[in-house]
Amino acid sequence: MGAVTIDVAVDTPDQPRVWMVAPDADLPDGLSWSALTGAGFTGAAGTVHVVAAETPLVLAGTGATPTLDDWRDAAGLGSRAASPHTDLAVRLPDDVTADVVRAVVEGTLLARYRYDALRAQAQGHRITRLTVVTGAAHDETAAAAGLGVASAGATALARDLANSPHNHLTAARFARIAVDLGAEVGLEVEVWEQQRCRDERLGGLLAINAGSDEEARFVRLRYVPSGAPTGRLALVGKGIMYDSGGIGLKPNNDSHAQMKNDMSGAAAVLAAMLALPATGGTAEVVGYLMCTDNMPSATAAALGDVARGRSGRTIEIVNTDAEGRVVMSDAFTLAVEDGVDAIVDIATLTGSVARAFGSLLSGITGSDDELVATLTAAANASGERVAPVPLEHRYRPQLSSPVADLRNLGPAGQPDGIISALFLHEFTEGLPWAHLDIAGTAWSTVDAGWQTPGCTGVGARTLLVAAGGFTA
């Protein structure tokens, strides 16, 4: 996203402004509700009105009783309407809360996101300076705005990584980015190259990597707070840099064209952890990124092959396109060995969840109600809403294999969103665990409000909120 200067002020008369307006609220000098309603603007959520003036002014409707989502959406609409101005002021009520300030900053910045890394000429107009105008307490507003910049930056980075084409972002390059960016913010970063992965018995990761010319990488990130940790949390991210489906190729070009984003889980974990130092998270957080592509070749895993992961358990691969859970099983085992208190994973895991909930809701499930509730609350606060998927153990027999400890997919017609979660649960060893399936939400065709088309960076803000407040 680049550097953004944040200011807090009580007025900025000469700066382009977005004025957040509820119905019948106070208006800028020279405007009246009778004139605005005559022009079709009522202050309802989702409405915007541009006032022609020497200093640009945009009115963004919040609705009468706005939620955080309404504030974020209104800020995004206002930010778009104020483009191409990159030095912007946003006017908020004087009784605004810190959560609203954070949401407004997020919406304002994210609405301007464009993936321009590979264009000869940038299409976007990113904001370089943002002034929050309010009579609310200065220090609290400034702190909340800073958190908004950090969380918006995490989402923008996750979007950048997931939008990067496969030929520009391999597993090895992703690992180098983690090393370089981690060093800038004080994270500990450890990378296992191909031979180390073999030596450490990451058989799940290597089985999926077997068909690729590009080496796999395992990346472990560690954030250590300044004080005594309030707990140790593992974040596991699926990092399939490109998923062809392996020997069992995906069926059509549309599905292939999106598969550069099959590493969106790993991108979200990396982005969230890079933002943790700026938010002052109190828990020790360890990230596990399982990175490889899944390609067809003479050496690729075949249907019916059996892999032995780090846990020692064997996995019959009955579908090479159910690869994410296989690589993540090794990460779960490593997290258990590291002695974490809980595991949260995020993955573009199943078409089943995508078909059930579409592009607006991620699936959430897990073994620990309190952890799932915490993650759900973090998702709601971040505008990345989730829907519950039952962890129905009566489906566990569908993972039984005649030749191995378990298979990586249930029989045809079974609910894979549940069964894939049950597969991952096998490797938690009883630790509290929550699982986010972002297969439907990692990609968007929407270009409105704070959302832009392409890879969404979903999960980065949710993980940042959840990890920042984690206690064992």
Side-chain angles (χ1 to χ4, degrees):
M1 176 173 286
V4 179
T5 299
I6 287 286
D7 299 316
V8 177
V10 294
D11 194 17
T12 55
D14 300 322
Q15 196 174 358
R17 288 175 292 169
V18 174
W19 196 291
M20 310 291 282
V21 182
D24 298 323
D26 292 339
L27 293 171
D29 293 341
L31 296 180
S32 69
W33 275 113
S34 59
L36 289 173
T37 53
F41 178 76
T42 64
T47 61
V48 66
H49 181 77
V50 180
V51 179
E54 182 177 350
T55 301
L57 173 62
V58 176
L59 304 180
T62 64
T65 56
T67 65
L68 286 180
D69 286 345
D70 292 330
W71 284 107
R72 191 180 289 106
D73 291 343
L77 287 170
S79 181
R80 285 171 177 266
S83 184
H85 296 285
T86 60
D87 182 350
L88 198 64
V90 177
R91 177 68 169 88
L92 298 174
D94 290 345
D95 60 353
V96 73
T97 67
D99 287 341
V100 168
V101 172
R102 179 172 180 169
V104 166
V105 171
E106 290 171 352
T108 303
L109 299 180
L110 289 174
R112 298 291 190 92
Y113 173 87
R114 289 294 184 273
Y115 180 69
D116 285 330
L118 303 178
R119 299 184 192 276
Q121 184 172 354
Q123 291 186 346
H125 300 282
R126 71 175 182 84
I127 291 174
T128 56
R129 179 175 176 231
L130 179 63
T131 302
V132 178
V133 183
T134 178
H138 181 281
D139 290 347
E140 289 82 352
T141 300
L147 290 176
V149 171
S151 57
T155 296
L157 175 60
R159 287 177 176 179
D160 278 345
L161 292 168
N163 276 316
S164 296
H166 170 237
N167 63 327
H168 287 263
L169 187 63
T170 63
R173 289 173 182 169
F174 187 87
R176 288 199 296 272
I177 289 171
V179 169
D180 293 343
L181 296 184
E184 291 179 8
V185 299
L187 296 184
E188 299 174 12
V189 185
E190 180 183 11
V191 176
W192 292 1
E193 297 186 356
Q194 191 86 349
Q195 187 56 53
R196 178 75 184 275
C197 290
R198 292 193 186 97
D199 294 342
E200 298 287 353
R201 309 184 314 282
L202 302 189
L205 178 65
L206 294 173
I208 302 307
N209 177 253
S212 178
D213 284 338
E214 295 288 345
E215 292 189 354
R217 291 291 186 270
F218 164 65
V219 182
R220 177 159 37 204
L221 311 159
R222 192 182 306 273
Y223 164 78
V224 180
S226 57
T230 55
R232 300 189 72 222
L233 176 66
L235 300 179
V236 175
K238 174 187 172 184
I240 303 298
M241 313 307 295
Y242 176 78
D243 180 19
S244 71
I247 289 291
L249 279 172
K250 291 182 181 294
N252 58 63
N253 289 339
D254 286 344
S255 61
H256 278 272
Q258 292 185 18
M259 284 302 105
K260 64 182 181 181
N261 83 333
D262 210 26
M263 38 62 70
S264 292
V269 170
L270 174 59
M273 291 198 62
L274 289 170
L276 267 175
T279 66
T282 59
E284 180 179 343
V285 183
V286 188
Y288 302 81
L289 313 183
M290 310 305 289
C291 302
T292 179
D293 43 17
N294 181 28
M295 303 294 281
S297 74
T299 59
L303 279 72
D305 281 0
V306 174
R308 186 184 299 274
R310 184 175 175 89
S311 70
R313 287 182 240 184
T314 53
I315 302 166
E316 182 187 9
I317 300 175
V318 298
N319 186 319
T320 60
D321 197 23
E323 82 298 328
R325 65 203 72 179
V326 177
V327 303
M328 292 167 69
S329 66
D330 285 334
F332 276 50
T333 300
L334 288 166
V336 171
E337 293 173 0
D338 283 345
V340 300
D341 298 312
I343 299 173
V344 171
D345 80 85
I346 180 169
T348 47
L349 205 62
T350 68
S352 177
V353 164
R355 288 187 293 273
F357 301 133
S359 61
L360 300 180
L361 296 168
S362 300
I364 188 168
T365 190
S367 63
D368 185 85
D369 290 345
E370 184 176 352
L371 184 62
V372 170
T374 296
L375 198 61
T376 299
N380 290 339
S382 302
E384 298 179 332
R385 294 194 174 272
V386 295
V389 176
L391 192 67
E392 180 52 71
H393 291 275
R394 287 180 295 175
Y395 286 114
R396 172 59 181 85
Q398 306 299 330
L399 290 171
S400 297
S401 165
V403 297
D405 292 317
L406 67 168
R407 50 190 278 163
N408 74 325
L409 188 75
Q414 297 298 314
D416 188 44
I418 297 173
I419 292 172
S420 64
L422 289 170
F423 178 95
L424 294 174
H425 181 248
E426 290 288 310
F427 298 90
T428 62
E429 302 299 338
L431 284 178
W433 158 71
H435 161 65
L436 282 171
D437 190 332
I438 58 170
T441 52
W443 184 274
S444 176
T445 58
V446 173
D447 192 9
W450 60 270
Q451 190 59 272
T452 57
C455 300
T456 63
V458 66
R461 295 197 309 282
T462 294
L463 295 180
L464 182 60
V465 171
F470 178 76
T471 57

